[in-house]
Amino acid sequence: MRLKNAMMLMLAAFIWGTAFVAQSVGMDYLGPFTFNGVRNFVGAFALLPCIWLLDRLNGKGAKKESPEGKDAQGSAPGEKRDLLLGGICCGTVLFVAGSLQQVGLQYTTVGKAGFITACYIVIVPVCGIFLHKKIGGKVWVAVALSLIGLYLLCITEKLTIGKGDILVFLCALVFTMHILVIDYFSPKADGVKMSCIQFFVCGVLSLVPMFVLETPEFGAVVKSWGPILYAGILSSGVAYTLQIVGQKDVNPAIASLILSLESCFSVLAGWLILGQSLSEREAAGCILMFAAIILAQLPDRRRAGKRIN
């Protein structure tokens, strides 16, 4: 696993963790579908200048000499189909997962929601078995350490199963699908463009429940401009793009472990920004989480031996 990919995924986890503050403040004025819809449109529009700049920097040479079977910008028809299909699939799955999480947060605590959502670090390797993904024992040990760390980090009360818990668990299942869908499409399409498409799709899908179930008001959106910009530009536009680009050629089980660090960063953000104290229990959870990430990235002995020989 390349260090660059790991750093991208870790930065995405950091942004998502710190975005919990923005999400909680934004929900004071807006409904879950309105907040998700607006933030995804903001994320999509924020990526348009990046796409234009990247095309301008990388497309000059391709326009001069285009191989046969490609258009003026050097893109094969198959690549365009994968880009469009990948963006639609990712956007649809992201809409379902984000909606379940946002609605579920209204009926459960943040700590329980964080732990249940992070169950995807177990679900991803299990699903990987059925998709013929090789999962070594080292990764399973890292998964176990992460679960213990997340429990110490998030669960501070008696665990009960309620309406919100069920919704957030369904969210974890759908986020598992999101990781696996990205794992399939990221090697076939431009990550930044696919991310932009997924946000537009997610934003459009949010419009229907937004107008049917909620009463969005322009004044409420204006009051939430800070949380919306942070969640839209950084959490959506930047972080999800980092996930798509960083997850390329990375085992989805290991990627899910790194992304689950958002729970650690959310606790640290609350401690540094909001002045919330970090207990010994939560600190121990953070240490276990980082230990799991390091363990998952250690080179395999057999592979190391092959490289030496």
Side-chain angles (χ1 to χ4, degrees), residues 74-87 180-194 244 247-249:
S75 298
E79 293 178 1
K80 287 189 174 182
R81 286 195 298 269
D82 290 331
L83 174 63
L84 183 60
L85 182 60
L180 295 176
V181 169
I182 290 176
D183 178 65
Y184 178 80
F185 282 105
S186 60
K188 302 180 179 182
D190 183 281
V192 180
K193 292 181 180 179
M194 188 168 73
I244 290 177
Q247 198 178 318
K248 187 175 182 179
D249 300 324

PDB file of all heavy atoms in Angstrom, residues 74-87 180-194 244 247-249:
ATOM      1  N   GLY A  74      -8.554  12.592 -25.306  1.00  0.00           N
ATOM      2  CA  GLY A  74      -7.869  11.365 -24.957  1.00  0.00           C
ATOM      3  C   GLY A  74      -8.684  10.408 -24.119  1.00  0.00           C
ATOM      4  O   GLY A  74      -8.117   9.566 -23.439  1.00  0.00           O
ATOM      5  N   SER A  75     -10.004  10.516 -24.155  1.00  0.00           N
ATOM      6  CA  SER A  75     -10.852   9.640 -23.350  1.00  0.00           C
ATOM      7  C   SER A  75     -11.556   8.637 -24.251  1.00  0.00           C
ATOM      8  O   SER A  75     -12.189   9.017 -25.238  1.00  0.00           O
ATOM      9  CB  SER A  75     -11.905  10.463 -22.586  1.00  0.00           C
ATOM     10  OG  SER A  75     -11.267  11.359 -21.700  1.00  0.00           O
ATOM     11  N   ALA A  76     -11.421   7.373 -23.937  1.00  0.00           N
ATOM     12  CA  ALA A  76     -12.086   6.324 -24.693  1.00  0.00           C
ATOM     13  C   ALA A  76     -13.561   6.287 -24.316  1.00  0.00           C
ATOM     14  O   ALA A  76     -13.931   6.646 -23.199  1.00  0.00           O
ATOM     15  CB  ALA A  76     -11.424   4.979 -24.410  1.00  0.00           C
ATOM     16  N   PRO A  77     -14.432   5.824 -25.261  1.00  0.00           N
ATOM     17  CA  PRO A  77     -15.865   5.736 -24.952  1.00  0.00           C
ATOM     18  C   PRO A  77     -16.143   4.891 -23.714  1.00  0.00           C
ATOM     19  O   PRO A  77     -17.039   5.196 -22.931  1.00  0.00           O
ATOM     20  CB  PRO A  77     -16.453   5.107 -26.219  1.00  0.00           C
ATOM     21  CG  PRO A  77     -15.498   5.476 -27.310  1.00  0.00           C
ATOM     22  CD  PRO A  77     -14.149   5.474 -26.658  1.00  0.00           C
ATOM     23  N   GLY A  78     -15.381   3.809 -23.548  1.00  0.00           N
ATOM     24  CA  GLY A  78     -15.572   2.954 -22.379  1.00  0.00           C
ATOM     25  C   GLY A  78     -15.277   3.676 -21.082  1.00  0.00           C
ATOM     26  O   GLY A  78     -15.949   3.454 -20.066  1.00  0.00           O
ATOM     27  N   GLU A  79     -14.288   4.559 -21.091  1.00  0.00           N
ATOM     28  CA  GLU A  79     -13.938   5.325 -19.897  1.00  0.00           C
ATOM     29  C   GLU A  79     -15.066   6.288 -19.526  1.00  0.00           C
ATOM     30  O   GLU A  79     -15.361   6.479 -18.347  1.00  0.00           O
ATOM     31  CB  GLU A  79     -12.639   6.098 -20.138  1.00  0.00           C
ATOM     32  CG  GLU A  79     -11.414   5.202 -20.295  1.00  0.00           C
ATOM     33  CD  GLU A  79     -10.164   6.001 -20.579  1.00  0.00           C
ATOM     34  OE1 GLU A  79     -10.247   7.239 -20.638  1.00  0.00           O
ATOM     35  OE2 GLU A  79      -9.094   5.387 -20.740  1.00  0.00           O
ATOM     36  N   LYS A  80     -15.683   6.876 -20.530  1.00  0.00           N
ATOM     37  CA  LYS A  80     -16.795   7.792 -20.260  1.00  0.00           C
ATOM     38  C   LYS A  80     -17.988   7.050 -19.663  1.00  0.00           C
ATOM     39  O   LYS A  80     -18.657   7.554 -18.759  1.00  0.00           O
ATOM     40  CB  LYS A  80     -17.208   8.517 -21.544  1.00  0.00           C
ATOM     41  CG  LYS A  80     -16.220   9.585 -21.994  1.00  0.00           C
ATOM     42  CD  LYS A  80     -16.798  10.409 -23.137  1.00  0.00           C
ATOM     43  CE  LYS A  80     -15.884  11.571 -23.483  1.00  0.00           C
ATOM     44  NZ  LYS A  80     -16.445  12.423 -24.567  1.00  0.00           N
ATOM     45  N   ARG A  81     -18.258   5.849 -20.188  1.00  0.00           N
ATOM     46  CA  ARG A  81     -19.354   5.058 -19.647  1.00  0.00           C
ATOM     47  C   ARG A  81     -19.092   4.677 -18.194  1.00  0.00           C
ATOM     48  O   ARG A  81     -19.985   4.754 -17.341  1.00  0.00           O
ATOM     49  CB  ARG A  81     -19.565   3.796 -20.495  1.00  0.00           C
ATOM     50  CG  ARG A  81     -20.213   4.048 -21.846  1.00  0.00           C
ATOM     51  CD  ARG A  81     -20.712   2.756 -22.460  1.00  0.00           C
ATOM     52  NE  ARG A  81     -19.609   1.827 -22.698  1.00  0.00           N
ATOM     53  CZ  ARG A  81     -18.926   1.758 -23.824  1.00  0.00           C
ATOM     54  NH1 ARG A  81     -19.228   2.565 -24.835  1.00  0.00           N
ATOM     55  NH2 ARG A  81     -17.944   0.878 -23.969  1.00  0.00           N
ATOM     56  N   ASP A  82     -17.852   4.260 -17.911  1.00  0.00           N
ATOM     57  CA  ASP A  82     -17.502   3.895 -16.536  1.00  0.00           C
ATOM     58  C   ASP A  82     -17.585   5.105 -15.614  1.00  0.00           C
ATOM     59  O   ASP A  82     -18.008   4.987 -14.455  1.00  0.00           O
ATOM     60  CB  ASP A  82     -16.087   3.304 -16.487  1.00  0.00           C
ATOM     61  CG  ASP A  82     -16.012   1.928 -17.133  1.00  0.00           C
ATOM     62  OD1 ASP A  82     -17.037   1.215 -17.118  1.00  0.00           O
ATOM     63  OD2 ASP A  82     -14.937   1.565 -17.649  1.00  0.00           O
ATOM     64  N   LEU A  83     -17.180   6.273 -16.111  1.00  0.00           N
ATOM     65  CA  LEU A  83     -17.232   7.493 -15.315  1.00  0.00           C
ATOM     66  C   LEU A  83     -18.674   7.840 -14.962  1.00  0.00           C
ATOM     67  O   LEU A  83     -18.996   8.117 -13.794  1.00  0.00           O
ATOM     68  CB  LEU A  83     -16.589   8.647 -16.078  1.00  0.00           C
ATOM     69  CG  LEU A  83     -16.689  10.043 -15.445  1.00  0.00           C
ATOM     70  CD1 LEU A  83     -15.965  10.072 -14.109  1.00  0.00           C
ATOM     71  CD2 LEU A  83     -16.112  11.106 -16.386  1.00  0.00           C
ATOM     72  N   LEU A  84     -19.551   7.828 -15.963  1.00  0.00           N
ATOM     73  CA  LEU A  84     -20.950   8.182 -15.734  1.00  0.00           C
ATOM     74  C   LEU A  84     -21.637   7.145 -14.856  1.00  0.00           C
ATOM     75  O   LEU A  84     -22.336   7.493 -13.890  1.00  0.00           O
ATOM     76  CB  LEU A  84     -21.677   8.314 -17.068  1.00  0.00           C
ATOM     77  CG  LEU A  84     -23.144   8.753 -17.004  1.00  0.00           C
ATOM     78  CD1 LEU A  84     -23.255  10.115 -16.347  1.00  0.00           C
ATOM     79  CD2 LEU A  84     -23.753   8.784 -18.405  1.00  0.00           C
ATOM     80  N   LEU A  85     -21.427   5.868 -15.153  1.00  0.00           N
ATOM     81  CA  LEU A  85     -22.067   4.807 -14.378  1.00  0.00           C
ATOM     82  C   LEU A  85     -21.539   4.795 -12.947  1.00  0.00           C
ATOM     83  O   LEU A  85     -22.311   4.629 -11.993  1.00  0.00           O
ATOM     84  CB  LEU A  85     -21.817   3.453 -15.050  1.00  0.00           C
ATOM     85  CG  LEU A  85     -22.456   2.232 -14.376  1.00  0.00           C
ATOM     86  CD1 LEU A  85     -23.972   2.389 -14.333  1.00  0.00           C
ATOM     87  CD2 LEU A  85     -22.064   0.958 -15.125  1.00  0.00           C
ATOM     88  N   GLY A  86     -20.230   4.984 -12.803  1.00  0.00           N
ATOM     89  CA  GLY A  86     -19.641   5.011 -11.462  1.00  0.00           C
ATOM     90  C   GLY A  86     -20.161   6.162 -10.636  1.00  0.00           C
ATOM     91  O   GLY A  86     -20.467   6.013  -9.447  1.00  0.00           O
ATOM     92  N   GLY A  87     -20.280   7.346 -11.258  1.00  0.00           N
ATOM     93  CA  GLY A  87     -20.792   8.507 -10.535  1.00  0.00           C
ATOM     94  C   GLY A  87     -22.237   8.330 -10.109  1.00  0.00           C
ATOM     95  O   GLY A  87     -22.619   8.692  -8.991  1.00  0.00           O
ATOM     96  N   LEU A 180     -17.236  -0.551  -1.493  1.00  0.00           N
ATOM     97  CA  LEU A 180     -17.033  -1.600  -2.492  1.00  0.00           C
ATOM     98  C   LEU A 180     -17.312  -1.096  -3.910  1.00  0.00           C
ATOM     99  O   LEU A 180     -16.615  -1.496  -4.859  1.00  0.00           O
ATOM    100  CB  LEU A 180     -17.923  -2.803  -2.174  1.00  0.00           C
ATOM    101  CG  LEU A 180     -17.601  -3.526  -0.860  1.00  0.00           C
ATOM    102  CD1 LEU A 180     -18.605  -4.645  -0.608  1.00  0.00           C
ATOM    103  CD2 LEU A 180     -16.185  -4.073  -0.870  1.00  0.00           C
ATOM    104  N   VAL A 181     -18.298  -0.215  -4.065  1.00  0.00           N
ATOM    105  CA  VAL A 181     -18.580   0.362  -5.382  1.00  0.00           C
ATOM    106  C   VAL A 181     -17.406   1.233  -5.838  1.00  0.00           C
ATOM    107  O   VAL A 181     -16.991   1.178  -7.006  1.00  0.00           O
ATOM    108  CB  VAL A 181     -19.887   1.189  -5.353  1.00  0.00           C
ATOM    109  CG1 VAL A 181     -20.048   1.999  -6.639  1.00  0.00           C
ATOM    110  CG2 VAL A 181     -21.084   0.266  -5.182  1.00  0.00           C
ATOM    111  N   ILE A 182     -16.865   2.020  -4.926  1.00  0.00           N
ATOM    112  CA  ILE A 182     -15.689   2.835  -5.254  1.00  0.00           C
ATOM    113  C   ILE A 182     -14.508   1.948  -5.603  1.00  0.00           C
ATOM    114  O   ILE A 182     -13.739   2.231  -6.530  1.00  0.00           O
ATOM    115  CB  ILE A 182     -15.340   3.768  -4.074  1.00  0.00           C
ATOM    116  CG1 ILE A 182     -16.405   4.861  -3.935  1.00  0.00           C
ATOM    117  CG2 ILE A 182     -13.967   4.409  -4.277  1.00  0.00           C
ATOM    118  CD1 ILE A 182     -16.183   5.763  -2.747  1.00  0.00           C
ATOM    119  N   ASP A 183     -14.342   0.857  -4.865  1.00  0.00           N
ATOM    120  CA  ASP A 183     -13.254  -0.085  -5.141  1.00  0.00           C
ATOM    121  C   ASP A 183     -13.361  -0.626  -6.564  1.00  0.00           C
ATOM    122  O   ASP A 183     -12.349  -0.885  -7.216  1.00  0.00           O
ATOM    123  CB  ASP A 183     -13.297  -1.231  -4.127  1.00  0.00           C
ATOM    124  CG  ASP A 183     -12.225  -2.277  -4.392  1.00  0.00           C
ATOM    125  OD1 ASP A 183     -11.035  -1.939  -4.276  1.00  0.00           O
ATOM    126  OD2 ASP A 183     -12.581  -3.427  -4.726  1.00  0.00           O
ATOM    127  N   TYR A 184     -14.584  -0.785  -7.062  1.00  0.00           N
ATOM    128  CA  TYR A 184     -14.794  -1.330  -8.408  1.00  0.00           C
ATOM    129  C   TYR A 184     -14.545  -0.274  -9.496  1.00  0.00           C
ATOM    130  O   TYR A 184     -13.918  -0.557 -10.519  1.00  0.00           O
ATOM    131  CB  TYR A 184     -16.214  -1.881  -8.529  1.00  0.00           C
ATOM    132  CG  TYR A 184     -16.544  -2.429  -9.902  1.00  0.00           C
ATOM    133  CD1 TYR A 184     -16.119  -3.696 -10.291  1.00  0.00           C
ATOM    134  CD2 TYR A 184     -17.281  -1.659 -10.815  1.00  0.00           C
ATOM    135  CE1 TYR A 184     -16.418  -4.195 -11.546  1.00  0.00           C
ATOM    136  CE2 TYR A 184     -17.575  -2.151 -12.080  1.00  0.00           C
ATOM    137  CZ  TYR A 184     -17.149  -3.421 -12.441  1.00  0.00           C
ATOM    138  OH  TYR A 184     -17.436  -3.902 -13.694  1.00  0.00           O
ATOM    139  N   PHE A 185     -15.038   0.938  -9.284  1.00  0.00           N
ATOM    140  CA  PHE A 185     -15.007   1.945 -10.344  1.00  0.00           C
ATOM    141  C   PHE A 185     -13.759   2.840 -10.314  1.00  0.00           C
ATOM    142  O   PHE A 185     -13.402   3.409 -11.346  1.00  0.00           O
ATOM    143  CB  PHE A 185     -16.251   2.842 -10.276  1.00  0.00           C
ATOM    144  CG  PHE A 185     -17.489   2.204 -10.831  1.00  0.00           C
ATOM    145  CD1 PHE A 185     -18.470   1.729  -9.992  1.00  0.00           C
ATOM    146  CD2 PHE A 185     -17.668   2.085 -12.192  1.00  0.00           C
ATOM    147  CE1 PHE A 185     -19.622   1.133 -10.489  1.00  0.00           C
ATOM    148  CE2 PHE A 185     -18.813   1.494 -12.719  1.00  0.00           C
ATOM    149  CZ  PHE A 185     -19.786   1.011 -11.864  1.00  0.00           C
ATOM    150  N   SER A 186     -13.116   3.009  -9.150  1.00  0.00           N
ATOM    151  CA  SER A 186     -12.006   3.964  -9.062  1.00  0.00           C
ATOM    152  C   SER A 186     -10.848   3.664 -10.017  1.00  0.00           C
ATOM    153  O   SER A 186     -10.238   4.610 -10.537  1.00  0.00           O
ATOM    154  CB  SER A 186     -11.497   4.059  -7.615  1.00  0.00           C
ATOM    155  OG  SER A 186     -11.044   2.805  -7.153  1.00  0.00           O
ATOM    156  N   PRO A 187     -10.505   2.392 -10.294  1.00  0.00           N
ATOM    157  CA  PRO A 187      -9.424   2.167 -11.265  1.00  0.00           C
ATOM    158  C   PRO A 187      -9.829   2.441 -12.708  1.00  0.00           C
ATOM    159  O   PRO A 187      -8.979   2.514 -13.592  1.00  0.00           O
ATOM    160  CB  PRO A 187      -9.091   0.670 -11.077  1.00  0.00           C
ATOM    161  CG  PRO A 187      -9.712   0.260  -9.795  1.00  0.00           C
ATOM    162  CD  PRO A 187     -10.922   1.125  -9.674  1.00  0.00           C
ATOM    163  N   LYS A 188     -11.126   2.592 -12.969  1.00  0.00           N
ATOM    164  CA  LYS A 188     -11.616   2.713 -14.338  1.00  0.00           C
ATOM    165  C   LYS A 188     -11.966   4.135 -14.742  1.00  0.00           C
ATOM    166  O   LYS A 188     -12.207   4.391 -15.925  1.00  0.00           O
ATOM    167  CB  LYS A 188     -12.876   1.844 -14.520  1.00  0.00           C
ATOM    168  CG  LYS A 188     -12.657   0.372 -14.216  1.00  0.00           C
ATOM    169  CD  LYS A 188     -13.952  -0.408 -14.421  1.00  0.00           C
ATOM    170  CE  LYS A 188     -13.748  -1.888 -14.146  1.00  0.00           C
ATOM    171  NZ  LYS A 188     -14.992  -2.671 -14.392  1.00  0.00           N
ATOM    172  N   ALA A 189     -12.042   5.051 -13.779  1.00  0.00           N
ATOM    173  CA  ALA A 189     -12.520   6.397 -14.101  1.00  0.00           C
ATOM    174  C   ALA A 189     -11.726   7.453 -13.355  1.00  0.00           C
ATOM    175  O   ALA A 189     -11.033   7.155 -12.372  1.00  0.00           O
ATOM    176  CB  ALA A 189     -14.012   6.521 -13.766  1.00  0.00           C
ATOM    177  N   ASP A 190     -11.828   8.685 -13.833  1.00  0.00           N
ATOM    178  CA  ASP A 190     -11.192   9.822 -13.177  1.00  0.00           C
ATOM    179  C   ASP A 190     -11.870  10.072 -11.832  1.00  0.00           C
ATOM    180  O   ASP A 190     -13.082  10.289 -11.765  1.00  0.00           O
ATOM    181  CB  ASP A 190     -11.309  11.061 -14.071  1.00  0.00           C
ATOM    182  CG  ASP A 190     -10.614  12.265 -13.481  1.00  0.00           C
ATOM    183  OD1 ASP A 190     -11.189  12.903 -12.572  1.00  0.00           O
ATOM    184  OD2 ASP A 190      -9.488  12.577 -13.914  1.00  0.00           O
ATOM    185  N   GLY A 191     -11.081  10.039 -10.756  1.00  0.00           N
ATOM    186  CA  GLY A 191     -11.632  10.131  -9.409  1.00  0.00           C
ATOM    187  C   GLY A 191     -12.336  11.448  -9.117  1.00  0.00           C
ATOM    188  O   GLY A 191     -13.405  11.464  -8.511  1.00  0.00           O
ATOM    189  N   VAL A 192     -11.751  12.562  -9.540  1.00  0.00           N
ATOM    190  CA  VAL A 192     -12.331  13.877  -9.253  1.00  0.00           C
ATOM    191  C   VAL A 192     -13.660  14.056  -9.994  1.00  0.00           C
ATOM    192  O   VAL A 192     -14.647  14.527  -9.432  1.00  0.00           O
ATOM    193  CB  VAL A 192     -11.345  14.999  -9.623  1.00  0.00           C
ATOM    194  CG1 VAL A 192     -11.956  16.363  -9.332  1.00  0.00           C
ATOM    195  CG2 VAL A 192     -10.038  14.836  -8.857  1.00  0.00           C
ATOM    196  N   LYS A 193     -13.691  13.662 -11.269  1.00  0.00           N
ATOM    197  CA  LYS A 193     -14.917  13.799 -12.050  1.00  0.00           C
ATOM    198  C   LYS A 193     -16.011  12.870 -11.522  1.00  0.00           C
ATOM    199  O   LYS A 193     -17.182  13.261 -11.450  1.00  0.00           O
ATOM    200  CB  LYS A 193     -14.630  13.493 -13.520  1.00  0.00           C
ATOM    201  CG  LYS A 193     -13.747  14.528 -14.203  1.00  0.00           C
ATOM    202  CD  LYS A 193     -13.514  14.182 -15.650  1.00  0.00           C
ATOM    203  CE  LYS A 193     -12.621  15.226 -16.323  1.00  0.00           C
ATOM    204  NZ  LYS A 193     -12.355  14.893 -17.752  1.00  0.00           N
ATOM    205  N   MET A 194     -15.641  11.653 -11.157  1.00  0.00           N
ATOM    206  CA  MET A 194     -16.632  10.724 -10.624  1.00  0.00           C
ATOM    207  C   MET A 194     -17.195  11.228  -9.302  1.00  0.00           C
ATOM    208  O   MET A 194     -18.380  11.078  -9.009  1.00  0.00           O
ATOM    209  CB  MET A 194     -16.023   9.328 -10.440  1.00  0.00           C
ATOM    210  CG  MET A 194     -17.045   8.260 -10.079  1.00  0.00           C
ATOM    211  SD  MET A 194     -16.402   6.572 -10.186  1.00  0.00           S
ATOM    212  CE  MET A 194     -15.339   6.540  -8.739  1.00  0.00           C
ATOM    213  N   ILE A 244     -12.077   8.531  -3.029  1.00  0.00           N
ATOM    214  CA  ILE A 244     -12.113   7.878  -4.336  1.00  0.00           C
ATOM    215  C   ILE A 244     -10.710   7.749  -4.925  1.00  0.00           C
ATOM    216  O   ILE A 244     -10.315   6.688  -5.419  1.00  0.00           O
ATOM    217  CB  ILE A 244     -13.036   8.654  -5.296  1.00  0.00           C
ATOM    218  CG1 ILE A 244     -14.496   8.499  -4.855  1.00  0.00           C
ATOM    219  CG2 ILE A 244     -12.870   8.156  -6.732  1.00  0.00           C
ATOM    220  CD1 ILE A 244     -15.478   9.277  -5.702  1.00  0.00           C
ATOM    221  N   GLN A 247      -8.419   5.498  -2.512  1.00  0.00           N
ATOM    222  CA  GLN A 247      -8.787   4.087  -2.414  1.00  0.00           C
ATOM    223  C   GLN A 247      -8.406   3.297  -3.658  1.00  0.00           C
ATOM    224  O   GLN A 247      -8.529   2.076  -3.684  1.00  0.00           O
ATOM    225  CB  GLN A 247     -10.294   3.966  -2.166  1.00  0.00           C
ATOM    226  CG  GLN A 247     -10.719   2.605  -1.618  1.00  0.00           C
ATOM    227  CD  GLN A 247     -12.207   2.533  -1.349  1.00  0.00           C
ATOM    228  OE1 GLN A 247     -12.788   3.482  -0.825  1.00  0.00           O
ATOM    229  NE2 GLN A 247     -12.818   1.413  -1.709  1.00  0.00           N
ATOM    230  N   LYS A 248      -7.920   3.971  -4.683  1.00  0.00           N
ATOM    231  CA  LYS A 248      -7.536   3.295  -5.920  1.00  0.00           C
ATOM    232  C   LYS A 248      -6.405   2.309  -5.659  1.00  0.00           C
ATOM    233  O   LYS A 248      -5.360   2.656  -5.094  1.00  0.00           O
ATOM    234  CB  LYS A 248      -7.100   4.334  -6.960  1.00  0.00           C
ATOM    235  CG  LYS A 248      -6.832   3.738  -8.337  1.00  0.00           C
ATOM    236  CD  LYS A 248      -6.529   4.829  -9.340  1.00  0.00           C
ATOM    237  CE  LYS A 248      -6.315   4.259 -10.730  1.00  0.00           C
ATOM    238  NZ  LYS A 248      -6.035   5.317 -11.725  1.00  0.00           N
ATOM    239  N   ASP A 249      -6.602   1.047  -6.056  1.00  0.00           N
ATOM    240  CA  ASP A 249      -5.620  -0.028  -5.896  1.00  0.00           C
ATOM    241  C   ASP A 249      -5.306  -0.324  -4.438  1.00  0.00           C
ATOM    242  O   ASP A 249      -4.220  -0.817  -4.114  1.00  0.00           O
ATOM    243  CB  ASP A 249      -4.311   0.310  -6.636  1.00  0.00           C
ATOM    244  CG  ASP A 249      -4.527   0.499  -8.128  1.00  0.00           C
ATOM    245  OD1 ASP A 249      -5.378  -0.223  -8.685  1.00  0.00           O
ATOM    246  OD2 ASP A 249      -3.856   1.356  -8.723  1.00  0.00           O
TER     247      ASP A 249
END
